[in-house]
Amino acid sequence: MAKKPPTPEDDDDAQLWRSVSDGIEPLKSRRKRAPAPPPEPTPAAKPIAKIEPSRPVPVEVPPPKPLALPALEKGRPTGIDKRTAQRLRRGKLDVEARLDLHGLTQAEAHRRLDHFLAEAYDTGVR
């Protein structure tokens, strides 16, 4: 059986609203305002002398010097001793620090990598 929707006479909220709104009178209408007069013209400013941009002076920048890296030999890592290299190849070294670069742009990832490497160096993390 469907319920009968409440009628305004039965609804307490409707009765309350009627009792509140009975004493309300509308505000007096406001007369329409005349459109604002156009702004008065300002006196013409003195013309500014035209300045021609100077031409840029070409500067020759030397190419960057290549980094001096030690010669790499096949199968021989540089900068670490033989025992550490052996443990590294066999997966016996524990991870001491991690860096997650997911979701970063290349520039952001590069900055984070530089910061991570500097911090790892300062703290002695391998």
Side-chain angles (χ1 to χ4, degrees), residues 101 104-114:
L101 302 175
L104 301 178
T105 63
Q106 184 177 4
E108 292 169 339
H110 198 270
R111 281 192 298 273
R112 282 244 184 113
L113 177 63
D114 286 343

Side-chain angles (χ1 to χ4, degrees), residues 91-112:
K92 300 290 183 181
L93 289 177
D94 293 334
V95 175
E96 296 180 352
R98 293 180 186 267
L99 175 64
D100 185 12
L101 302 175
H102 287 91
L104 301 178
T105 63
Q106 184 177 4
E108 292 169 339
H110 198 270
R111 281 192 298 273
R112 282 244 184 113

Side-chain angles (χ1 to χ4, degrees), residues 5-123:
T7 61
E9 293 84 12
D10 297 337
D11 192 20
D12 290 336
D13 290 337
Q15 288 176 358
L16 178 63
W17 177 249
R18 270 195 308 286
S19 68
V20 170
S21 64
D22 283 343
I24 297 177
E25 293 180 17
L27 294 174
K28 295 178 183 176
S29 65
R30 298 179 186 214
R31 66 181 179 130
K32 294 182 181 177
R33 296 183 183 180
E40 294 192 23
T42 57
K46 294 179 182 177
I48 300 174
K50 291 184 179 179
I51 300 173
E52 293 187 27
S54 61
R55 292 185 179 185
V57 178
V59 178
E60 291 187 29
V61 179
K65 295 179 181 177
L67 296 175
L69 298 175
L72 299 176
E73 295 178 27
K74 186 175 180 182
R76 296 220 34 183
T78 59
I80 56 174
D81 61 303
K82 185 177 178 182
R83 176 77 177 129
T84 304
Q86 191 177 45
R87 293 180 69 211
L88 182 62
R89 275 194 306 273
R90 294 180 180 167
K92 300 290 183 181
L93 289 177
D94 293 334
V95 175
E96 296 180 352
R98 293 180 186 267
L99 175 64
D100 185 12
L101 302 175
H102 287 91
L104 301 178
T105 63
Q106 184 177 4
E108 292 169 339
H110 198 270
R111 281 192 298 273
R112 282 244 184 113
L113 177 63
D114 286 343
H115 179 73
F116 176 81
L117 292 175
E119 190 174 311
Y121 181 80
D122 291 341
T123 57

